[in-house]
Amino acid sequence: MKTDFKFSNLCGTVYRKGNVVFTPDGNSIISPVGNRVTVFDLVNNKSETLPFENKRDIRRLALSPNGNLLLSVDELGQTLLVNFRKRTVLHYFNLKDKVRDIVFSPDGRYFAAALGRNVQVWHSPGYVREFAPFVLHRSYAAHYDDVTSVSWSPDSRFFVTAGKDMVAKVFSVDPIEGFVPATLTGHRHAVVSAWFARDMRAVYTVSADGAVCVRRFRLQGVDENLTFGEFPIVTSDNDGDEKPRTIWYTESRHYAQQSARVHSAAFNWATNLMVLGFTNGVFGIWEMPDFNLVHTLSISRKQINTIAINPTGEWLAFGAAKLGQLLVWEWQSETYVLKQQGHFYDMSCVAYSGDGQYVATGGDDAKLKVWNALSGFCFITFSEHTSSVTAVQFTKGSQVVLSASLDGTVRAYDLVRYRNFRVFTSPTPVQFTSLAVDPSGEIVCAGCQDSFEIYVWSMQTGKLLDVLSGHEGPISALAFRPDGLSLASSSWDKSVRFWDVFDRTKVVERMEHSHEVLALAYRPDGKELCASTIDGQIHFWDVAKAAPAGSIEGRRDIAGGRSATDRQTAENSSAGKSFTSLCYSADGTAVLGGGNSKYVCLYDRRSRILLRKFQVSQNQSLDGVQHKLNSRNMTEAGPRDLIDSDGIDSDSEKHVDRSLPGVRSGDKSNRVLKPEVRTRDVKFAPTGRQWAAASTEGLLIYSLDETLVFDPFELDADVTPDSIRDLVRTGDYLRALVNALRLNEQHVIRSVYESVPPKDVALLARAFPAVYVERLLKFIAHAMESSQLLELHLKWVSELLTTHGGFVKTRSVALQPVLRMLQRNVVRLHQDIGSVCDKNYYSLGYLLRQSKHVPEAQEGTDGDVDMHQVFADFSDDGE
């Protein structure tokens, strides 16, 4: 089994904090997700998480106007310079202060960063040859309180800053004769943002109380307005040229009539639209400079933290940090382009569908979400539960997903009609913590943590069939054997039991452990079972003999870091040193385990050795990531990281006392606490090419990196790319394809595969060696994800499975991941083509009917219809 899994995507979380940025073409939006950056392609409906991490949560993002450079700044000012097109980190830099705003100039030669009360202007890397990538151009210190935003003029010669000291200031990048930095006053609250108009004849400022001011520039004593940046010269009596005095004045003042405060704002030069986001979740669009209201809408129950407008001004992006929402709104048609929201609290469980196309997640927010594994988008959310979802399971056909919850119900959802069609309950109120469905999908079992019983229901009728009693502690996990003959359950009573659900007369087998059992999993062939205990060990059992088959001591492997409040070191702490979730790989050769730690461990089943240890996060904003803590960060009030000293993460709502009468401790949820890094559930995809982990940061997906892997198979000295191309030229496709598979270079295999004529596929499949069938099917499964040669793919798959059906059947277990991958891609292509045909049903029918009336003169020599002539006739008829 290959173990070179690499981080590929982050689902389940779309926005945490910071600002969102549109790409220059306006088709994608960049969102900070914790210490990572996710790019949402709004046209192709895909999401991608960039393969780098900041040390802490990202505070600000800035993208250069040409889309080449991306600046990612974390909470402490540590900056990553990223080549956005190549997805690689070029340089690490520390701005040495907390950054509230950072933005590139329109010409891309500079970027300005707001650091506390100061503003620093830096040269953009790449425009001038210099030794250091970051060169400071000039530092500006003028505000008496923190700077909230920075905005550039269209000509990149000036920029305007807004601050908490209720003023906005205008600065120049370089000294300009006749220009004096201007201070724009008149607001009664902190200025949220300020911008230049596109013609530079006005500056717009907006404050937190909703006041919007339009500022104009003119000569003193003259009523005619000037374009800012043009300073006229007059001749004095002494024959010397001098600059007349210019002033800024407030032309008009407007108020956004909302009951809440302005928290975020954006302005677009192309449309002259100003968008304001309020703390009550309402946003408004106004046309400047007359401040005409265009549109208002409530899109969230919490405050809007960030607003972005694409270059054309058609799409508006909004981010709400408290709910984890990311919305893209097309204001002209009043429709959502993107509407995504992650789990409000931690993600607790994850499950793959049988074909690996969908991923279901349950969270502590009582919601069940289903994600598309290929695009990374959530397409349905079920919110019928009233308490935390603790377990999720798909049926074998992937048409039904079930969830168990602490509210005492197990619910079944139809993924065709998107509805909850079954609710399974117990006679007495209990809290379900585990779930299992038999392979046929007819029997549903759930274990509870208070009565220590297992409830069995019928899927068709929804009636309770049986209650399995015997455990003396909470049920921690349930799993049906792959053949469906028995049910395994683990409990805190230090035992694993095997139940025959269909024949209760049989004796319940019991496997004793030395400690409490936390998780269990069956091998795909059903001959082995593994269980993890609280002492950090993984025990393997032979199911047929009911005897132990070995164990793994994983306590040191899973041990995580030190929490900020721990009094013991990470080595001496007993917390987080056990596996709470286990899963076998698709071929059954490896075991994946995760727990309350920052690590996920991959073990070999036969040798019992550690193959890989994955660290799910490097984010130091999470608790338990670091092994050693700095004693200088410990104060009398507690750890310094838990104290919000500058108020960036605080707002007026946090300081409102909403505690109930008689509560003396107050609302503990208002404390600034760091979430703890942990992995609550891990699952391998049925295809075996990726696995998912439900962690604190969201759903982490790790996939095999097969782009640069050279893995030859029975290679000879005569097998070279040149010799393979010679075989293709001579028409010896069989030898060329076999040699390409032996060489195992993907571009060579693809060139040979695509050069095979479709009419020769049946003949080549009959003579194709059986030993290479698995490798060819695996290649076709990968090629179907990106190639459009649909007929060639389907012919190869059909002929190979028909000709070598006996070989595939004898190796069904080993080929199961490849076959599932093929099934997933074929189903996806069928759905895509079906939707296109449904949308163009009448057009296709019209073309087919018209082709029957084409005269014989339009037919070619082979009897085929000349479609060019047909379309020409259609156009003539239309005219």
Side-chain angles (χ1 to χ4, degrees):
M1 174 186 171
K2 294 183 179 180
T3 61
D4 54 337
F5 290 94
K6 290 186 177 181
F7 173 80
S8 63
N9 205 357
L10 174 62
C11 303
T13 308
V14 294
Y15 174 74
R16 282 286 176 85
K17 62 175 69 173
N19 65 314
V20 296
V21 181
F22 273 101
T23 54
D25 59 3
N27 295 331
S28 301
I29 187 169
I30 308 171
S31 172
V33 182
N35 66 333
R36 298 182 183 272
V37 177
T38 301
V39 181
F40 296 93
D41 191 337
L42 304 177
V43 176
N44 298 319
N45 197 30
K46 288 186 178 180
S47 67
E48 176 192 3
T49 303
L50 304 186
F52 61 84
E53 291 184 79
N54 283 71
K55 289 187 176 181
R56 292 178 178 268
D57 285 342
I58 295 174
R59 177 68 61 187
R60 303 297 294 181
L61 291 175
L63 186 65
S64 61
N66 57 9
N68 290 333
L69 298 179
L70 176 69
L71 293 176
S72 174
V73 188
D74 67 8
E75 294 174 335
L76 298 183
Q78 295 183 351
T79 307
L80 298 184
L81 175 64
V82 180
N83 186 327
F84 181 69
R85 301 189 187 278
K86 298 287 186 180
R87 309 302 201 244
T88 56
V89 178
L90 302 178
H91 188 66
Y92 296 85
F93 187 72
N94 192 356
L95 292 174
K96 300 180 181 180
D97 201 350
K98 295 185 177 181
V99 178
R100 290 181 176 270
D101 197 9
I102 185 168
V103 60
F104 277 92
S105 62
D107 61 3
R109 300 184 64 87
Y110 303 97
F111 67 87
L115 307 173
R117 303 178 183 179
N118 304 329
V119 176
Q120 293 181 354
V121 176
W122 297 74
H123 289 280
S124 296
Y127 279 85
V128 181
R129 288 178 175 247
E130 64 253 343
F131 177 75
F134 288 89
V135 176
L136 180 63
H137 177 70
R138 188 172 282 108
S139 182
Y140 303 82
H143 283 274
Y144 293 98
D145 206 339
D146 291 337
V147 179
T148 57
S149 73
V150 180
S151 179
W152 288 86
S153 64
D155 59 1
S156 301
R157 294 194 301 155
F158 305 92
F159 61 90
V160 57
T161 63
K164 288 185 175 181
D165 54 357
M166 299 180 289
V167 300
K169 292 181 176 289
V170 181
F171 299 97
S172 64
V173 177
D174 296 309
I176 298 177
E177 186 179 358
F179 170 76
V180 178
T183 301
L184 309 179
T185 62
H187 286 286
R188 299 182 178 180
H189 290 78
V191 181
V192 176
S193 190
W195 312 274
F196 282 96
R198 186 174 183 82
D199 57 2
M200 294 186 63
R201 288 181 174 272
V203 169
Y204 309 127
T205 59
V206 56
S207 60
D209 60 347
V212 177
C213 295
V214 180
R215 322 281 183 147
R216 297 289 184 179
F217 180 70
R218 70 183 181 187
L219 294 173
Q220 187 175 11
V222 180
D223 294 335
E224 183 180 357
N225 295 326
L226 297 176
T227 300
F228 181 69
E230 299 176 0
F231 306 101
I233 301 175
V234 297
T235 303
S236 64
D237 296 336
N238 299 327
D239 296 334
D241 295 339
E242 64 179 15
K243 295 284 185 179
R245 185 178 179 184
T246 57
I247 62 171
W248 287 91
Y249 73 98
T250 303
E251 182 185 61
S252 58
R253 188 186 302 269
H254 310 277
Y255 293 93
Q257 301 296 330
Q258 294 289 336
S259 59
R261 298 170 64 86
V262 176
H263 192 271
S264 54
F267 180 75
N268 181 255
W269 283 335
T271 57
N272 282 331
L273 293 180
M274 177 186 293
V275 184
L276 304 181
F278 297 89
T279 54
N280 58 357
V282 176
F283 79 90
I285 305 175
W286 285 268
E287 186 179 5
M288 301 300 292
D290 299 329
F291 202 69
N292 297 323
L293 180 61
V294 177
H295 185 65
T296 57
L297 183 69
S298 176
I299 59 173
S300 178
R301 291 171 293 155
K302 299 294 183 179
Q303 69 182 14
I304 300 175
N305 294 81
T306 179
I307 300 176
I309 310 176
N310 72 334
T312 60
E314 298 174 349
W315 292 348
L316 312 177
F318 304 93
K322 288 189 176 181
L323 296 179
Q325 288 180 327
L326 180 63
L327 310 172
V328 179
W329 174 262
E330 187 175 2
W331 63 274
Q332 292 175 336
S333 62
E334 299 185 4
T335 58
Y336 282 109
V337 179
L338 174 70
K339 187 177 182 180
Q340 293 287 305
Q341 179 180 357
H343 287 283
F344 187 69
Y345 299 112
D346 283 353
M347 189 181 297
S348 58
C349 50
V350 60
Y352 272 99
S353 61
D355 55 2
Q357 191 172 357
Y358 304 125
V359 181
T361 59
D364 291 342
D365 58 353
K367 288 183 173 59
L368 172 67
K369 293 180 177 288
V370 185
W371 308 78
N372 189 309
L374 189 61
S375 66
F377 283 109
C378 173
F379 62 89
I380 187 64
T381 300
F382 299 105
S383 56
E384 282 78 7
H385 283 293
T386 58
S387 187
S388 300
V389 179
T390 55
V392 176
Q393 188 89 23
F394 276 94
T395 58
K396 189 175 182 179
S398 303
Q399 300 293 326
V400 177
V401 60
L402 295 101
S403 61
S405 172
L406 295 180
D407 61 3
T409 63
V410 175
R411 296 178 180 268
Y413 301 93
D414 185 0
L415 292 183
V416 177
R417 298 177 179 85
Y418 300 130
R419 62 187 182 92
N420 177 206
F421 69 95
R422 284 284 185 274
V423 180
F424 307 100
T425 58
S426 58
T428 58
V430 295
Q431 291 182 318
F432 293 115
T433 56
S434 54
L435 179 67
V437 184
D438 76 323
S440 65
E442 298 295 331
I443 302 298
V444 180
C445 299
C448 58
Q449 66 178 9
D450 34 20
S451 64
F452 316 148
E453 295 174 332
I454 302 172
Y455 293 85
V456 183
W457 297 276
S458 170
M459 176 70 81
Q460 290 187 350
T461 63
K463 295 182 178 180
L464 182 65
L465 301 178
D466 202 352
V467 179
L468 308 180
S469 305
H471 278 294
E472 300 174 359
I475 311 297
S476 58
L478 293 176
F480 267 100
R481 209 164 77 179
D483 56 9
L485 297 179
S486 64
L487 172 71
S489 63
S490 62
S491 172
W492 291 7
D493 61 2
K494 306 179 183 179
S495 68
V496 173
R497 304 191 181 209
F498 294 96
W499 313 81
D500 193 326
V501 180
F502 304 99
D503 188 2
R504 291 301 307 279
T505 60
K506 292 185 178 180
V507 179
V508 178
E509 297 184 12
R510 175 170 176 162
M511 297 180 180
E512 294 291 342
H513 294 73
S514 57
H515 292 81
E516 291 83 353
V517 184
L518 303 179
L520 60 84
Y522 267 109
R523 205 170 67 186
D525 58 2
K527 297 180 180 179
E528 187 180 80
L529 179 139
C530 65
S532 65
T533 53
I534 201 171
D535 61 343
Q537 291 192 2
I538 301 177
H539 300 272
F540 294 89
W541 296 86
D542 189 328
V543 176
K545 300 178 182 178
S551 63
I552 295 176
E553 177 62 48
R555 183 179 177 85
R556 293 181 179 272
D557 300 330
I558 195 64
R562 183 177 179 181
S563 176
T565 56
D566 281 349
R567 298 181 180 271
Q568 297 174 322
T569 61
E571 290 77 11
N572 296 330
S573 176
S574 59
K577 292 189 176 181
S578 58
F579 297 95
T580 59
S581 177
L582 292 176
C583 180
Y584 273 95
S585 61
D587 55 3
T589 59
V591 176
L592 191 69
N596 295 328
S597 166
K598 62 178 179 178
Y599 293 117
V600 174
C601 301
L602 183 66
Y603 293 97
D604 182 70
R605 180 186 60 83
R606 293 184 179 178
S607 60
R608 312 284 196 264
I609 62 173
L610 179 67
L611 298 177
R612 289 283 303 276
K613 187 160 71 169
F614 305 92
Q615 184 170 345
V616 296
S617 179
Q618 304 277 356
N619 190 359
Q620 296 181 12
S621 296
L622 302 177
D623 211 3
V625 173
Q626 294 178 294
H627 280 278
K628 295 182 179 180
L629 302 179
N630 192 343
S631 59
R632 291 182 298 179
N633 293 331
M634 184 60 67
T635 64
E636 294 180 355
R640 187 174 298 172
D641 292 338
L642 304 184
I643 301 175
D644 186 17
S645 58
D646 62 349
I648 288 183
D649 293 322
S650 65
D651 51 31
S652 58
E653 294 183 1
K654 281 190 175 182
H655 303 293
V656 178
D657 185 13
R658 294 192 177 94
S659 57
L660 295 175
V663 179
R664 298 181 180 179
S665 59
D667 188 3
K668 294 184 178 180
S669 65
N670 282 343
R671 296 174 60 195
V672 180
L673 297 178
K674 296 172 66 176
E676 182 182 0
V677 59
R678 56 180 176 174
T679 305
R680 300 182 63 174
D681 197 8
V682 292
K683 285 292 188 298
F684 254 104
T687 59
R689 292 184 59 217
Q690 64 182 18
W691 57 269
S695 68
T696 307
E697 292 194 312
L699 182 64
L700 302 173
I701 297 179
Y702 287 76
S703 302
L704 285 174
D705 185 14
E706 299 178 345
T707 54
L708 300 175
V709 177
F710 177 66
D711 185 17
F713 183 74
E714 296 182 358
L715 191 60
D716 296 332
D718 298 335
V719 180
T720 62
D722 293 334
S723 64
I724 294 173
R725 295 188 189 98
D726 294 337
L727 292 174
V728 173
R729 294 191 194 99
T730 58
D732 195 350
Y733 299 110
L734 180 60
R735 287 182 58 194
L737 188 56
V738 170
N739 288 346
L741 291 171
R742 292 167 65 184
L743 188 63
N744 201 25
E745 288 191 6
Q746 296 299 317
H747 67 281
V748 177
I749 300 176
R750 179 179 288 273
S751 62
V752 176
Y753 174 79
E754 294 180 353
S755 63
V756 176
K759 59 186 174 98
D760 296 343
V761 170
L763 183 61
L764 294 176
R766 295 190 191 98
F768 197 77
V771 68
Y772 296 103
V773 169
E774 180 180 357
R775 301 173 73 87
L776 182 57
L777 288 175
K778 189 174 183 180
F779 168 79
I780 296 174
H782 295 332
M784 291 177 74
E785 296 180 354
S786 57
S787 176
Q788 298 179 357
L789 303 176
L790 182 59
E791 180 187 6
L792 183 64
H793 299 325
L794 295 179
K795 276 193 174 183
W796 267 112
V797 172
S798 177
E799 295 295 337
L800 286 175
L801 295 180
T802 302
T803 307
H804 301 278
F807 173 79
V808 173
K809 188 174 182 179
T810 56
R811 293 175 52 84
S812 59
V813 177
L815 291 174
Q816 194 173 21
V818 179
L819 296 177
R820 283 176 175 169
M821 197 187 313
L822 282 171
Q823 180 190 8
R824 181 191 68 182
N825 291 331
V826 170
V827 170
R828 179 179 60 83
L829 289 173
H830 179 267
Q831 292 176 350
D832 293 344
I833 295 176
S835 62
V836 172
C837 293
D838 290 341
K839 293 178 181 178
N840 300 277
Y841 176 78
Y842 296 103
S843 300
L844 292 173
Y846 174 73
L847 292 175
L848 290 175
R849 286 192 298 271
Q850 290 294 330
S851 63
K852 296 179 181 179
H853 302 292
V854 177
E856 297 181 357
Q858 295 181 1
E859 297 187 359
T861 56
D862 298 333
D864 297 332
V865 177
D866 188 359
M867 295 305 297
H868 294 285
Q869 185 64 34
V870 173
F871 286 120
D873 293 342
F874 291 163
S875 60
D876 294 339
D877 295 340
E879 294 176 356

